[in-house]
Each structure stands twice: as C-alpha cells, then as structure tokens.
Amino acid sequence: MPIRLVHDRWVSKYAEPWAAGLSELTTRLENPVEKVFEIYIRTAPDRLWEAITDPEIRSKYNFGARVISDWTQGSRFEMGAPGAPGSLGEGRNLEVDPPRKLVQSMVALWSDEARSEGPTRITWEIEPIGDSCRLTVTHDELREGASEELYGGWPMILSGLKTWLETGQLLTTPGSLLYGSQ
C-alpha cells in the first residue's frame, strides 16, 4: 500500500500530461480531417464520369488543368496545364469503378506550401437520382490545420463542372481558369 501512495502522490501527476498527449495524438491519427462536397448535376452517370476523366473536358472546369491517366486501378495520373510553371499534381488511382466511383491518392505540386502537405486522398462518388446525379467529392487524409490551398478550390471546380455539363458554358469566376485561356 505505501508504494501505491508514493506513486499516487509523486509519479501520477507527472505521468498524466504524457498520457493525455498520447491520447490526443491517437485521436488525431485515427480521425484525419476530411472535407466533403456534394452537388447535384442534371446529367447521366456516364457523361459525368467522362467529364471527370477526359483531360480536355476536365480542363474546362478544373482551373484549366488537365488530368492524364489510363484510369485503371493502381495506375498513375498527372495534372498539368500549358500555362502552369510545372506539374500541378500527381498520384495514383486507388479504386476505379466507372461510372460510380474513383478514389485517388494525390500530391499537390502547384506551390511549395501545397507540396509540403504530402499525399491526400480524393474520392469521387456518382449516384444517379432520376435524370440527375449526386456527385460527392471527399477530400481526406488531410492533416489537422492543412492548408486551405489543398481543398479550398473544390466549390469552384464543382460549380464549373455543373455549369459546363448543364449549359455547355464555362464558369468565368475569377480564378476558375487560372491556367487556361478565357
């Protein structure tokens, strides 16, 4: 019993901050930050899939950037644009299930800040609903406090995708064609 009292009085007060810190670290590692974006687009799943995977179509709503890949599971992809100073991103296609789901691991390369964030994951899920589709884009495996530069462009990208598919027009908001010609 006296050893327990010594522990409780002298040791436990020093161990508590360590235990709390490890508990917080465990929570952060087990619950990475994710950003979820959902939009409804009046189009067919095949047409939406094509808009996501065709480099020329993608450049119309993705800041002018093209994504090049053979779109098979495990294959690489690269993102670039003629007006960009270099490669804008690269990664792997982790899951390819046309026209329902695309999961990619990506490293953003468009700036030193984005590059320093390391790999993240992007999941595109297409669900047909009547004459439309619900597109859910989940950008996760982000570290807590990750730069908004990684995920802040999704609303503009998805708005541009919706605009192009439903009207055939380009979204002309400032920055929507950052690396393209307007």
Side-chain angles (χ1 to χ4, degrees):
M1 185 69 169
I3 292 175
R4 175 66 187 201
L5 292 174
V6 169
H7 174 270
D8 291 348
R9 184 170 182 181
W10 298 104
V11 177
S12 66
K13 67 181 175 183
Y14 297 108
E16 188 175 327
W18 285 94
L22 288 174
S23 177
E24 180 184 336
L25 178 61
T26 299
T27 300
R28 287 178 59 191
L29 291 174
E30 291 175 351
N31 300 310
V33 175
E34 73 175 17
K35 303 292 180 181
V36 180
F37 305 91
E38 184 177 272
I39 192 165
Y40 291 83
I41 304 172
R42 189 171 187 159
T43 192
D46 289 333
R47 189 162 178 246
L48 180 51
W49 181 267
E50 179 187 26
I52 293 167
T53 58
D54 181 275
E56 291 306 313
I57 296 173
R58 182 89 173 246
S59 71
K60 294 179 184 311
Y61 64 86
N62 195 57
F63 301 110
R66 291 165 177 77
V67 178
I68 309 292
S69 178
D70 69 7
W71 304 111
T72 59
Q73 190 161 317
S75 66
R76 288 186 37 78
F77 72 88
E78 292 183 26
M79 182 169 50
S87 180
L88 297 172
E90 63 186 19
R92 291 226 172 268
N93 297 309
L94 304 175
E95 184 178 340
V96 181
D97 182 17
R100 293 184 265 318
K101 189 173 186 181
L102 175 63
V103 182
Q104 300 174 294
S105 176
M106 181 190 82
V107 176
L109 301 173
W110 55 77
S111 74
D112 290 338
E113 184 178 5
R115 183 180 291 109
S116 71
E117 295 290 346
T120 61
R121 183 174 58 193
I122 301 165
T123 302
W124 303 75
E125 294 178 284
I126 300 169
E127 180 184 351
I129 299 179
D131 65 351
S132 300
C133 291
R134 175 175 46 214
L135 174 62
T136 305
V137 175
T138 304
H139 195 158
D140 63 359
E141 296 186 358
L142 297 159
R143 69 171 181 82
E144 180 139 354
S147 172
E148 190 174 330
E149 191 177 327
L150 284 178
Y151 57 83
W154 282 115
M156 194 177 305
I157 292 169
L158 297 177
S159 295
L161 172 59
K162 178 179 175 67
T163 299
W164 189 80
L165 282 170
E166 291 182 349
T167 71
Q169 302 294 309
L170 299 179
L171 187 64
T172 57
T173 57
S176 60
L177 293 175
L178 180 64
Y179 300 110
S181 57
Q182 293 191 18

